Amino acid sequence: MRTVLMVAEKPSLAQSIAKILSKGNCTSRKGLNGACSVHEYAGSFQGQTVRFKMTSVCGHVMTLDFIGEGCDYVVLWLDCDKEGENICFEVLDAIQPVMNKGNVRERSVYRAKFSSITDTDIWNAMNHLGEPNRNEALSVDARQELDLRIGCAFTRFQTKYFQGKYGNLDSSLISFGPCQTPTLGFCVERHDKIQSFKPETYWVLQAKVFKGKESPLTLDWNRVRVFDRDVGQMFLNLAKTSREATVESVSKKEKTKQRPQALNTVEMLRVASSALGMGPQHTMQIAERLYTQGYISYPRTETTHYPENFDLKGTLKQQSNNPMWAEEVKALLATGLNRPRKGTDAGDHPPITPMRAASEAELGSDGWRLYEYITRHFIATVSQDCKYLQTTIDFNIGTEGFSCNGKTLMSPGYTTMMPWQGIPLEEAMPACERGDTFTVDEIKLVEKQTSPPDYLTEAELITLMEKHGIGTDASIPVHINNICQRNYVTVESGRKLKPTNLGIVLVHGYYKIDAELVLPTIRSAVEKQLNLIAQGKANYQQVLQHTLDIFKRKFHFFVDSITGMDELMEVSFSPIAATGKPMSRCGKCHRFMKYIQAKPSRLHCSHCDETYSLPQNGAIKLYKELRCPLDDFELVLWTSGARGKSYPLCPYCFSNPPFRDMKKGMGCNECTHPSCQHSLNSLGIGQCVECDSGVLVLDPTSGPKWRMACNKCNVVVHFFEHAHRVQVAQESCNACDASLVAVDFNKTRTPLPAGETQHTGCVFCDPVFQDLVELKHATMRHAMHRGGGARRGGRGRGRGRRGNPKKPKDKMAALAAYFV
């Protein structure tokens, strides 16, 4: 029997598709990697009985470890966008070498195209299999390589150049990205307009009139405003010559507010940010979950036009039992659906629509809010337009013209589903006709000032990015998230994006050196070329090389001109020598080094002009004025909290590993010095109970709440509380090879049997210690006390450790996402 291998993009998708195609009759087992399951069933393919095996990748293929018994056909169920096409060929590169070699003329590779996880769509895709699109995959390859090489070059240079110069530079990575940087540029451009804004004073005539006992009407001046007070006063005097307002005309016009077009990704992101208060990255994560669970159609699309064969009525019927909109849906089904507005067909996926009914209990808070909006939007697209009557009354007061407007709702139409777009209730306009007179209640000259624009909202930024071609519907959330994560902007109330000092200085620096690095024009042109590759109208290698040549010249010019940006940095940030507070002594000059807390935290010796790295995300303090025996630097203590890990380190050794088997970033708890009292050799106890590569090391500063912590993972073992002294002995356990521990208790608080105050034994095997050891922040993989059972590892000698994982074949996809 021949075998058909089917591959989806996520484990949950593989499970759903296999369940539909097998009609629930598939068997499942874990794959070799433990993350992706394999679902098997028998069925028919190309007129023959075959064995189907459905599995998945987890995004891009980063590592190759394909142990194949061989398959005859492969059906690719990756997401139907350019990224999905790219992953198709990554999968093929992995499996084609081990596929069975059948008839040379026989086709063996198939591509399934689908937009939702429904029985109809999945079976339709299976019955109309196509081929993967090589051109679309190449366009993704080109984008990834460009973003990676350009981003890495600029990021590495400017990070190294600036990080050691300024103490309060609040970013551990000063990144550049071909899309990220223009995105930041939009935010800083708005910030600059706000800062340079100079308010102007202007004056308006404000009039109130009434007729009989009716409420007063506030009128708008036809001249709107004047910027000269004397001129305004003149018009006021002319108007005050009359105490009556004469009606010049009354007009009534029936107006229509159009229903929305079908929903695409960009509009969904805009509304989620402005109306739901959800960031673009978070919104896409929720939308992808709703899609994989079968509640909505594919959430990445640029199309706003329903296909001619789209089942609008069937999709609407699914919503007829939800109490929130059942009445409106049933009315639409009874009277007939309105033809949706003509939108744009981008040739990718259909618009985003609900695929099945749901409740808040099923989806959770944010999931339901997004699903509710998508459903309301869909129902609105097949509803009637909103109709209202606009009444305008024009008045004359003296020689000056005024007017007032009012709206009266005639038919709410689609706004019953989208009430936030509805016509607000207003007081009815008074009945009047030409020639009628109203009494002037008051008329005055009011002084006002022009106001600056506000900071860009996420919704406005998304609009600008779409307009200028920065990123795609899939990558826009990533770029916005990047500038937030890099501390270039902060998200303020109302989801407004306010640039930080660093973000402002960077953009001003790019403008000063080469404006094209931050303007959207060059990236927009590159995106057009990438789209031509996807369409088969441009050569992959030529576009790649041409773009790289342009940015290579720009990079060299940027490096030569970096002092222009540095001049701006000097104004906003303090020199490293003038920052921080004295902490520990330098081993070279024996003067105090300063501790700089701003990320990345570090120590700086102004006398030697040297900067030393430190562990991040914790607290640093001097460690008893003890010194490293190798270089005479004073040790410092890093701690993650009162109940967390802590360990001493030498600032010099941390950046300059003293032994061949050490790496940068290792503290004393990983140091292999043979005799130092702080080293792994002196304080290591035994192999970690959770990971195979770490060693549990005594924390000598933790008394009286003693603990040992893994020097690789987050395992912390608390033991011997209230002991007077805990030391690691030279002897090892005969049973498990762990180092023995000597414990000394005070007479009044000893938990040892028979009132003993001292005991030396193995924390893993000694029954005396059994009730004195507890484990935190991890789950035991082995029993800690096994009555003499074997245990691997002791004081860094851990046997049977795993080898290093295989290096990824291609890190480009992950790194490119980081820099763009």
Side-chain angles (χ1 to χ4, degrees):
M1 186 184 291
R2 290 190 160 192
T3 303
V4 178
L5 176 65
M6 303 198 294
V7 186
E9 194 156 316
K10 298 180 183 72
S12 57
L13 278 178
Q15 182 179 9
S16 299
I17 294 169
K19 197 172 181 180
I20 292 170
L21 294 176
S22 69
K23 299 178 181 176
N25 295 319
C26 61
T27 60
S28 301
R29 59 181 171 83
K30 281 288 182 186
L32 290 173
N33 64 4
C36 303
S37 296
V38 180
H39 312 279
E40 299 185 45
Y41 65 96
S44 176
F45 184 78
Q46 304 296 317
Q48 54 189 315
T49 302
V50 297
R51 187 74 184 166
F52 287 99
K53 292 188 177 183
M54 183 82 190
T55 187
S56 71
V57 293
C58 293
H60 281 274
V61 178
M62 304 296 290
T63 306
L64 293 183
D65 191 12
F66 188 80
I67 302 170
E69 298 174 359
C71 60
D72 301 283
Y73 307 99
V74 60
V75 181
L76 299 160
W77 290 87
L78 286 309
D79 285 353
C80 298
D81 55 14
K82 291 173 186 173
E83 291 285 338
E85 297 303 318
N86 188 259
I87 300 172
C88 281
F89 287 93
E90 292 175 350
V91 170
L92 291 176
D93 287 344
I95 66 174
Q96 278 185 322
V98 294
M99 286 181 69
N100 294 330
K101 310 299 179 191
N103 189 325
V104 178
R105 296 179 182 177
E106 188 178 26
R107 182 178 163 197
S108 60
V109 176
Y110 296 86
R111 176 72 162 109
K113 295 278 188 177
F114 58 102
S115 296
S116 63
I117 314 301
T118 61
D119 291 19
T120 303
D121 217 15
I122 295 302
W123 274 109
N124 185 59
M126 191 66 180
N127 293 329
H128 298 87
L129 296 173
E131 295 181 5
N133 189 317
R134 171 73 69 175
N135 290 328
E136 289 191 355
L138 285 173
S139 74
V140 174
D141 283 338
R143 178 182 282 108
Q144 288 178 354
E145 186 166 349
L146 289 172
D147 290 344
L148 176 67
R149 294 176 68 173
I150 296 166
C152 276
F154 281 88
T155 297
R156 187 185 296 118
F157 171 71
Q158 63 187 26
T159 298
K160 286 189 172 183
Y161 186 88
F162 290 117
Q163 209 165 63
K165 296 191 71 173
Y166 301 99
N168 59 341
L169 187 57
D170 49 356
S171 180
S172 54
L173 179 72
I174 308 173
S175 65
F176 173 93
C179 288
Q180 172 199 126
T181 303
T183 301
L184 174 62
F186 290 130
C187 300
V188 175
E189 181 184 20
R190 177 62 65 88
H191 167 83
D192 291 342
K193 286 180 179 177
I194 294 169
Q195 295 301 307
S196 61
F197 182 83
K198 293 181 179 178
E200 286 187 84
T201 304
Y202 64 92
W203 288 264
V204 297
L205 283 188
Q206 197 174 84
K208 283 186 179 180
V209 299
F210 67 93
K211 185 179 182 183
K213 295 182 179 180
E214 293 177 349
S215 300
L217 287 177
T218 300
L219 308 184
D220 298 316
W221 189 25
N222 289 357
R223 297 183 192 273
V224 184
R225 61 186 177 182
V226 293
F227 288 88
D228 187 309
R229 192 184 188 288
D230 292 338
V231 173
Q233 187 63 49
M234 177 192 71
F235 288 128
L236 176 63
N237 294 338
L238 290 171
K240 279 188 171 181
T241 58
S242 173
R243 292 300 301 162
E244 288 186 338
T246 305
V247 175
E248 282 295 304
S249 65
V250 179
S251 64
K252 295 187 178 184
K253 289 184 180 177
E254 190 177 302
K255 292 201 169 184
T256 298
K257 192 172 186 179
Q258 282 191 310
R259 62 202 179 282
Q261 290 181 328
L263 183 64
N264 66 3
T265 306
V266 169
E267 181 64 15
M268 178 182 73
L269 295 175
R270 272 196 290 252
V271 174
S273 176
S274 60
L276 304 181
M278 290 161 50
Q281 185 90 336
H282 181 54
T283 300
M284 283 309 300
Q285 289 170 351
I286 294 171
E288 285 170 7
R289 175 169 61 82
L290 293 175
Y291 162 66
T292 56
Q293 292 174 342
Y295 289 104
I296 65 171
S297 60
Y298 192 64
R300 293 193 181 105
T301 178
E302 296 175 12
T303 294
T304 58
H305 180 74
Y306 296 117
E308 294 303 320
N309 62 349
F310 190 87
D311 186 6
L312 292 168
K313 194 169 184 178
T315 305
L316 188 63
K317 271 184 179 178
Q318 293 176 339
Q319 302 297 329
S320 58
N321 292 322
N322 190 308
M324 294 191 74
W325 43 70
E327 188 179 330
E328 289 82 0
V329 169
K330 288 173 182 175
L332 275 173
L333 291 170
T335 59
L337 281 61
N338 192 17
R339 185 178 180 83
R341 283 175 59 196
K342 185 173 177 60
T344 302
D345 185 357
D348 49 359
H349 284 271
I352 304 166
T353 59
M355 298 311 298
R356 61 186 173 102
S359 65
E360 186 171 0
E362 292 174 69
L363 305 183
S365 176
D366 283 352
W368 167 253
R369 291 197 300 141
L370 186 60
Y371 174 85
E372 181 188 359
Y373 165 67
I374 291 169
T375 305
R376 286 183 178 277
H377 190 106
F378 166 71
I379 299 171
T381 62
V382 294
S383 299
Q384 297 295 322
D385 291 338
C386 172
K387 294 181 179 178
Y388 62 94
L389 187 69
Q390 179 162 303
T391 304
T392 303
I393 306 175
D394 291 312
F395 292 89
N396 274 345
I397 303 178
T399 59
E400 290 305 293
F402 295 83
S403 65
C404 67
N405 296 285
K407 296 174 183 175
T408 305
L409 183 64
M410 297 171 64
S411 171
Y414 80 92
T415 61
T416 57
M417 293 309 305
M418 303 176 80
W420 58 91
Q421 291 191 16
I423 303 300
L425 290 173
E426 297 177 352
E427 284 192 31
M429 297 287 284
C432 60
E433 56 186 34
R434 178 182 169 84
D436 286 356
T437 59
F438 284 64
T439 303
V440 177
D441 185 37
E442 69 170 354
I443 186 166
K444 59 185 177 181
L445 189 65
V446 179
E447 181 180 307
K448 296 187 177 183
Q449 280 196 327
T450 55
S451 56
D454 212 337
Y455 284 103
L456 279 181
T457 62
E458 281 175 335
E460 290 169 335
L461 178 58
I462 290 167
T463 301
L464 284 171
M465 293 173 73
E466 182 190 34
K467 177 183 175 182
H468 292 280
I470 300 300
T472 63
D473 54 357
S475 66
I476 282 174
V478 177
H479 305 318
I480 296 176
N481 187 60
N482 278 346
I483 62 173
C484 296
Q485 293 293 316
R486 306 293 149 76
N487 199 29
Y488 295 160
V489 300
T490 57
V491 182
E492 305 289 314
S493 175
R495 302 209 67 84
K496 295 184 178 72
L497 301 171
K498 185 177 181 180
T500 62
N501 275 347
L502 178 58
I504 295 164
V505 170
L506 283 174
V507 169
H508 290 175
Y510 296 135
Y511 271 117
K512 191 173 183 181
I513 296 170
D514 181 356
E516 283 190 337
L517 292 175
V518 72
L519 289 171
T521 47
I522 194 164
R523 181 61 189 196
S524 180
V526 171
E527 287 288 349
K528 288 175 183 174
Q529 290 298 310
L530 294 174
N531 285 332
L532 290 176
I533 294 175
Q535 296 164 20
K537 296 178 181 177
N539 181 274
Y540 162 76
Q541 285 294 345
Q542 288 177 353
V543 171
L544 186 66
Q545 197 56 51
H546 176 68
T547 308
L548 287 174
D549 287 344
I550 291 172
F551 274 95
K552 186 177 180 180
R553 289 193 292 270
K554 287 183 174 295
F555 175 71
H556 287 304
F557 183 75
F558 181 74
V559 170
D560 293 340
S561 311
I562 192 65
T563 51
M565 184 179 281
D566 198 18
E567 290 168 359
L568 300 177
M569 287 280 189
E570 286 176 351
V571 176
S572 297
F573 301 103
S574 305
I576 195 166
T579 311
K581 59 182 181 180
M583 168 129 342
S584 64
R585 289 186 184 273
C586 171
K588 297 178 180 179
C589 66
H590 300 291
R591 289 177 167 86
F592 277 106
M593 297 188 292
K594 287 186 174 180
Y595 172 49
I596 298 158
Q597 283 186 285
K599 287 187 178 181
S601 57
R602 53 212 187 274
L603 287 167
H604 178 72
C605 178
S606 55
H607 184 265
C608 301
D609 195 22
E610 292 280 355
T611 303
Y612 301 97
S613 300
L614 292 171
Q616 303 299 304
N617 303 318
I620 293 283
K621 63 182 180 181
L622 188 63
Y623 184 51
K624 304 178 183 177
E625 298 185 354
L626 297 171
R627 295 177 181 267
C628 176
L630 295 173
D631 48 47
D632 212 30
F633 273 71
E634 281 189 332
L635 303 182
V636 294
L637 185 74
W638 176 88
T639 178
S640 63
R643 296 284 287 175
K645 286 173 64 172
S646 64
Y647 58 84
L649 63 111
C650 165
Y652 188 82
C653 295
F654 192 78
S655 299
N656 304 277
F659 302 110
R660 191 175 297 174
D661 57 352
M662 291 180 65
K663 298 177 182 177
K664 282 186 177 181
M666 288 185 169
C668 297
N669 63 344
E670 295 183 81
C671 178
T672 53
H673 191 291
S675 59
C676 175
Q677 61 175 323
H678 316 293
S679 71
L680 171 64
N681 213 47
S682 299
L683 299 175
I685 295 175
Q687 186 180 344
C688 178
V689 295
E690 184 76 9
C691 70
D692 282 343
S693 58
V695 176
L696 291 168
V697 181
L698 174 67
D699 180 354
T701 69
S702 58
K705 296 184 178 182
W706 298 93
R707 63 189 174 226
M708 56 181 175
C710 178
N711 59 8
K712 295 291 185 186
C713 72
N714 66 343
V715 167
V716 177
V717 178
H718 294 267
F719 55 9
F720 313 129
E721 190 168 357
H722 304 306
H724 174 65
R725 185 183 296 109
V726 176
Q727 292 178 313
V728 180
Q730 290 296 315
E731 300 81 14
S732 298
C733 175
N734 293 328
C736 73
D737 203 28
S739 297
L740 300 185
V741 175
V743 187
D744 186 356
F745 282 96
N746 290 322
K747 283 184 180 181
T748 56
R749 307 195 73 170
T750 179
L752 298 174
E756 292 182 9
T757 59
Q758 296 181 343
H759 185 78
T760 300
C762 175
V763 295
F764 304 108
C765 306
D766 194 329
V768 174
F769 287 160
Q770 180 154 353
D771 296 327
L772 306 180
V773 181
E774 61 172 305
L775 187 68
K776 296 288 184 186
H777 309 309
T779 304
M780 286 287 296
R781 292 190 303 125
H782 326 288
M784 284 198 67
H785 306 283
R786 296 191 284 184
R791 177 172 179 79
R792 297 173 295 160
R795 206 186 293 192
R797 296 194 291 270
R799 301 189 293 262
R801 297 180 188 172
R802 293 176 185 156
N804 290 330
K806 292 183 181 179
K807 290 185 178 179
K809 177 197 77 167
D810 180 9
K811 294 184 179 177
M812 197 167 290
L815 287 171
Y818 194 70
F819 288 111
V820 295

